[in-house]
Amino acid sequence: MRETITINGGGLTGLSLAIALRKHGVAVTLHEAGTYPRHRVCGEFISGVSHETLETLGIADAFIDAKHHCSVAWFSGNDHLRDNLLPEPALAVSRHLLDDRLQKSATALGVNLQTKSRRQMTPKAPGEVWTAGRKPAKGKWIGLKAHVRGINPKAQLEMHSGPLGYLGVTPVEGGWFNVCGLFRMRRDIDARHEELLPAYLSKNGNTELARRISTAEWREGSFTAVAGFALGLQATTPGMLSLGDSHAIIPPFTGNGMTMAFQSAETALPHLVAYASGEMTWDESCAQIAKHLRTRFEKRLKSAKLIHPLLFHTLARPLLKHAPLKPILSLIR
Ligand SMILES: Cc1cc2nc3c(=O)[nH]c(=O)nc-3n(C[C@H](O)[C@H](O)[C@H](O)COP(=O)(O)OP(=O)(O)OC[C@H]3O[C@@H](n4cnc5c(N)ncnc54)[C@H](O)[C@@H]3O)c2cc1C
């Protein structure tokens, strides 16, 4: 291969792309601002990813013991609205485990992984890819996550909604349950750190879940929070190839963000290999990737954007009880 690829950001997009490129013989340097393993704000519920995508990227082994979840219980406030089964099982594995597995696999394949290496978001030279996740933006959202144990679940995925936002509860490994939500930020909530989760849930009318979480065992170091981001297409920087969340963030209720991270790596792969082997210029490769990302993600991003506000709407939320979930899910995958 003639050219090397430099990837900025070692989350799911960056790690899976690095692994796949190495498997095609491309030299890869990957810069990651943090270290591994670490907890991340994420519902850890992977919906809509195919085995074929994981195989193409060479990462299927990382899911060998992932949980497969089908049953969902929906709540509005404290009201249990309905139970249903997903058309296809979703995978569940913590980011603490998954990202660490992928970074080990990348390193074993010869990726030059530089941790604690925070890169500047400036236009990049040919061969540089930006996969550093959400781009900073004025946003009204706060994402909160923790792992807890002993909360007596009602289904493999509990989805709780209210006027401020929504939160999922799902088992991951080791008997832990991921508790992760997205809320409209409220300045009048007088809580800090771990207390934020039950405080937001209470304000959201999910007082019964707030009580269950408050009395549960919390996994040390698992509480994480994120704010200062916007959903949807992210700001573009001329000359920068952005993939995964850096390209577009689908609302988390879809459980499809991690799938999009893998699919964006899969979409970019052949064009980056063509660039590295000298068959395409960098500009040609980027143009092809942009075109294919648009085709692959446009429908689901638009559909999710339309559906998202309904989850917060006082009149619309009870309608979840009767909503045809299968056709809705097919729009956002
Ligand atoms: C509240 C919430 C709940 C969610 N729940 C789900 C869910 O249940 N299912 C689902 O599929 N998706 C969910 N998502 C979305 C999912 O987490 C993301 O889509 C996914 O993490 C995107 O992967 P990524 O690799 O593009 O970005 P990230 O996972 O964010 O990785 C980016 C990496 O870049 C590093 N980095 C950042 N800045 C720099 C820099 N300057 N230089 C170098 N490195 C840098 C970071 O440390 C990080 O490791 C949720 C998101 C939120 C906010």
Side-chain angles (χ1 to χ4, degrees), residues 104-146:
K104 283 181 176 138
S105 172
T107 307
L109 284 163
V111 172
N112 174 17
L113 175 59
Q114 311 274 323
T115 53
K116 297 187 186 166
S117 176
R118 181 171 289 280
R119 305 277 279 175
Q120 292 302 311
M121 196 169 52
T122 49
K124 297 294 173 197
E128 288 219 28
V129 185
W130 191 258
T131 56
R134 303 169 279 266
K135 289 185 177 154
K138 272 194 190 157
K140 57 188 171 189
W141 306 110
I142 181 166
L144 301 169
K145 171 273 182 78

Side-chain angles (χ1 to χ4, degrees), residues 200-216:
Y200 266 90
L201 281 171
S202 296
K203 198 85 176 174
N204 204 33
N206 313 115
T207 51
E208 171 56 18
L209 180 62
R211 187 194 58 73
R212 282 161 64 202
I213 285 173
S214 298
T215 54

Side-chain angles (χ1 to χ4, degrees), residues 9 11-13 32-33 38 40 42-43 45 95 119 132 245 255 257-258:
L12 298 182
T13 310
E32 163 54 38
R38 77 275 195 257
R40 301 191 63 78
C42 184
F45 190 85
R95 295 293 299 272
R119 305 277 279 175
D245 269 13
M258 290 189 272

